């Protein structure tokens, strides 16, 4: 599935997130002081305001927290139906990614399903999507 995706403007805060897929890594900003994660990426910890943060690779697995199936053809090149899901990342408490579930029929997607990240590259941006892990 190739969706026409809005291209993020890469900057100091978010480049590690959008380009980590080049190395197969999902990188999430973590605070070196309090240990908490911040997403979307910031150069300040959202928990303690520390600037001692860095984008660290995480497992790239998670579970489907919630999802919806889109049947609306928003663009002529956009095949429907597709799944928009919120994925709770393993080992990254409090971080959820809004993403698509790919590589399976929409009927196969369920709440709580384990998933793993796959990257879709478009012009140097690596979009983190997820597929079922079992
Ligand atoms: Zn912190």
């Amino acid at each position: 599935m190739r969706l026409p995706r809005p291209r993020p403007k890469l900057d100091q805060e978010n480049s590690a997130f959008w380009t980590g897929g080049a190395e197969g890594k999902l990188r999430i900003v973590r605070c070196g002081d309090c240990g908490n994660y911040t997403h979307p990426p910031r150069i300040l910890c959202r928990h303690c305001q520390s600037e001692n943060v860095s984008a660290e690779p995480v497992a790239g697995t998670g579970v489907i927290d919630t999802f919806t199936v889109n049947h609306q053809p928003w663009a002529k090149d956009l095949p429907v139906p597709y799944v928009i899901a919120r994925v709770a990342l393993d080992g990254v408490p409090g971080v959820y990614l809004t993403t698509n579930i790919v590589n399976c029929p929409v009927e196969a997607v369920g709440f709580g399903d384990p998933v793993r990240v796959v990257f879709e590259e478009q012009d140097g941006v690596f979009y983190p999507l997820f597929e079922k892990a079992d």
Side-chain angles (χ1 to χ4, degrees):
M1 180 169 67
R2 275 181 83 79
L3 301 184
R5 301 183 186 284
R7 183 180 173 83
K9 187 175 182 303
L10 297 189
D11 59 24
Q12 179 190 358
E13 290 188 319
N14 67 23
S15 287
F17 178 76
W18 291 114
T19 64
E23 297 160 20
K25 306 273 197 216
L26 182 62
R27 297 186 193 277
I28 303 291
V29 168
R30 187 177 197 194
C31 179
D33 289 331
C34 75
N36 286 306
Y37 290 90
T38 291
H39 189 81
R42 303 265 322 265
I43 53 172
L44 273 184
C45 174
R46 72 179 162 92
H47 303 276
C48 74
Q49 316 310 316
S50 169
E51 295 178 24
N52 181 21
V53 298
S54 60
E56 295 186 1
V58 299
T61 58
V63 296
I64 296 175
D65 179 61
T66 188
F67 72 97
T68 186
V69 177
N70 180 73
H71 293 276
Q72 176 72 33
W74 297 106
K76 72 175 168 54
D77 297 332
L78 189 53
V80 293
Y82 60 87
V83 175
I84 302 165
R86 197 171 82 142
V87 169
L89 293 175
D90 291 340
V92 194
V95 171
Y96 299 86
L97 293 187
T98 300
T99 181
N100 299 120
I101 307 300
V102 297
N103 301 334
C104 72
V106 296
E107 301 79 31
V109 173
F111 297 103
D113 284 353
V115 290
R116 65 173 161 249
V117 71
V118 292
F119 293 98
E120 181 180 287
E121 192 245 337
Q122 287 181 23
D123 301 325
V125 171
F126 291 76
Y127 296 86
L129 311 179
F130 285 78
E131 65 180 10
K132 292 186 59 154
D134 55 344

